[in-house]
Amino acid sequence: MTTNPKLGAMLHITPELGQTPTQTYQSFTHLVKKLDQMGFDNAWVTEHHFNDMSLTPSPLHLMGHFLAKTEQISIGSAALLVGFHNPIEVAESLAVLDALYPERVLCGFAKGGPFESQNSAFKADKDLSRARMIEAVPAMLELWQDQTESTHHGEHYQWNNVNLQPKCGLQNSRLFIASGDELTIEMAVKNNLGLMAAQFWDMAKIHQQISHYQKVAQTVFKQPKKPNMMAARGLFVHQNSAVAKQSALEHIRSFREQKAKHWGKTPGPMANLDPEEMLSRMLCGTPEEVAEKVYSLLQNGVTHLALNPLTQNHLVRCDQLHWFYEEVWGQFLNKDTKQRQSA
């Protein structure tokens, strides 16, 4: 099993019925404070644009706000769509956050999902956005690491003699790439970055990510290397398994119907999955059933687990995360402690 696994929560910033944006942000600020007090390791902010079901068009602002309101929890992006932004500005913003909150900033990078409205507005389809990301991330690492000036002449970005200030102490172990694309995973390996798996990816796809990472690492470093592997998972726990699964499916159906307008002609994730297949990719059921699924994830290489409670109700969301922490996660903390003590 993964040693010292990290537990986090996904913050999609979805409003309850009738909530204003201000009220929604206040609710999630309350949630992050509770996660910090409970002992969660991290919380993750998404990046979505023109989306009333995910009020996260500016994840770096939200990260700074949540970091300022908490004491210990790390806050990250899952994931920042760097292909939509100027990489120098992204590098500067992350460097400032890292200087303000050392060892508490995480960052994942992605090309972006199949959202026609945002791809059109930022003039970047998935192929262009991916190409920009593959170029931008290593270039940002150079900006952070070069002690004097950095020059970059690439296909999509160019700059001369940039001396980024402040310098960034953000360690590569706190950076992740969200992609199943082989070329992108190769970039992650060469730069010693972790990987991210989306909530709707099955275990076979996560295995494929990890396997390709290890294959490339063996070629590049001449030795085996496992990635930091962050996986998001939908969550609904109930003492009655049928109630948990029905509640999860109802939320997924409602959420997909509301988000369908953002996908345009492209079918959304899980569009062709039957209910049982969808549930197999979620943490739904009794505490015992959920614990078994979590154990399988950790056994198969997941090092960072990020939970997304399958509800729009703020109180239920808080209860789900608290219940998971008390009824499920404690088992793994205790097991990990015993394993390390006996090693």
Side-chain angles (χ1 to χ4, degrees):
M1 189 178 77
T2 296
T3 302
N4 192 28
K6 304 296 184 185
L7 180 64
M10 292 295 297
L11 307 175
H12 286 285
I13 320 294
T14 302
E16 290 187 272
L17 184 63
Q19 266 193 336
T20 65
T22 298
Q23 292 169 330
T24 302
Y25 291 132
Q26 289 172 342
S27 293
F28 277 87
T29 302
H30 169 260
L31 173 62
V32 176
K33 288 180 177 180
K34 286 180 69 71
L35 296 175
D36 190 34
Q37 294 164 1
M38 269 191 278
F40 272 66
D41 297 293
N42 44 60
W44 303 87
V45 179
T46 61
E47 179 177 351
H48 291 109
H49 297 271
F50 326 122
N51 189 334
D52 55 2
M53 296 300 294
S54 190
L55 302 179
T56 56
S58 184
L60 293 173
H61 285 96
L62 287 169
M63 287 170 61
H65 171 71
F66 292 140
L67 285 162
K69 295 294 184 179
T70 52
E71 298 292 334
Q72 296 181 317
I73 192 170
S74 294
I75 305 293
S77 63
L80 191 69
L81 308 183
V82 67
F84 292 172
H85 305 287
N86 183 318
I88 295 178
E89 292 180 354
V90 173
E92 287 180 322
S93 296
L94 285 168
V96 169
L97 285 178
D98 179 70
L100 288 168
Y101 307 100
E103 305 298 321
R104 293 184 58 206
V105 177
L106 300 163
C107 194
F109 302 99
K111 67 171 176 56
F115 303 118
E116 291 183 5
S117 57
Q118 69 181 25
N119 292 344
S120 174
F122 289 98
K123 295 180 172 56
D125 62 20
K126 63 179 182 178
D127 294 328
L128 177 58
S129 185
R130 179 187 290 114
R132 287 176 176 174
M133 176 181 66
I134 291 174
E135 180 181 333
V137 173
M140 289 193 297
L141 293 174
E142 290 183 12
L143 283 168
W144 290 334
Q145 295 163 0
D146 285 350
Q147 293 305 307
T148 53
E149 296 178 338
S150 173
T151 294
H152 178 78
H153 290 160
E155 180 180 354
H156 304 286
Y157 307 106
Q158 302 82 34
W159 58 78
N160 292 309
N161 306 321
V162 173
N163 186 3
L164 197 77
Q165 297 294 338
K167 295 301 181 186
C168 185
L170 193 57
Q171 299 172 352
N172 292 39
S173 61
R174 301 181 72 81
L175 302 173
F176 300 78
I177 299 295
S179 180
D181 173 69
E182 291 190 352
L183 287 177
T184 310
I185 292 173
E186 289 169 19
M187 181 272 285
V189 175
K190 292 173 183 177
N191 290 280
N192 199 27
L193 309 178
L195 298 177
M196 283 181 160
Q199 175 177 306
F200 48 85
W201 288 3
D202 61 15
M203 201 62 234
K205 188 164 184 176
I206 296 175
H207 269 306
Q208 189 176 20
Q209 274 186 300
I210 295 173
S211 296
H212 189 64
Y213 187 103
Q214 292 176 311
K215 178 182 177 181
V216 175
Q218 185 69 49
T219 301
V220 173
F221 302 114
K222 309 303 180 185
Q223 60 183 9
K225 178 178 173 59
K226 294 182 179 180
N228 279 334
M229 184 74 238
M230 184 276 222
R233 279 294 184 262
L235 172 72
F236 206 96
V237 189
H238 195 278
Q239 292 292 0
N240 185 315
S241 181
V243 170
K245 293 174 181 178
Q246 184 62 31
S247 298
L249 288 173
E250 288 176 2
H251 173 77
I252 292 167
R253 289 194 190 99
S254 174
F255 196 78
R256 286 172 61 189
E257 287 173 2
Q258 294 175 70
K259 289 193 73 172
K261 60 187 176 185
H262 302 288
W263 292 321
K265 298 177 183 178
T266 304
M270 302 191 295
N272 298 319
L273 299 181
D274 62 40
E276 286 303 315
E277 180 63 23
M278 281 195 287
L279 287 169
S280 73
R281 304 180 185 200
M282 307 295 176
L283 301 177
C284 298
T286 65
E288 294 76 19
E289 290 171 332
V290 169
E292 185 177 344
K293 289 187 175 184
V294 172
Y295 183 76
S296 177
L297 288 167
L298 300 182
Q299 281 282 83
N300 284 284
V302 171
T303 62
H304 294 63
L305 179 62
L307 306 172
N308 176 33
L310 298 172
T311 178
Q312 282 186 244
N313 184 292
H314 179 64
L315 292 178
V316 175
R317 182 182 297 114
C318 292
D319 286 345
Q320 283 288 307
L321 291 168
H322 185 268
W323 194 356
F324 181 94
Y325 191 84
E326 295 296 328
E327 299 292 331
V328 177
W329 195 246
Q331 298 180 37
F332 299 101
L333 295 181
N334 293 335
K335 184 177 293 187
D336 180 59
T337 299
K338 290 178 181 177
Q339 287 178 341
R340 284 187 280 112
Q341 288 175 344
S342 62

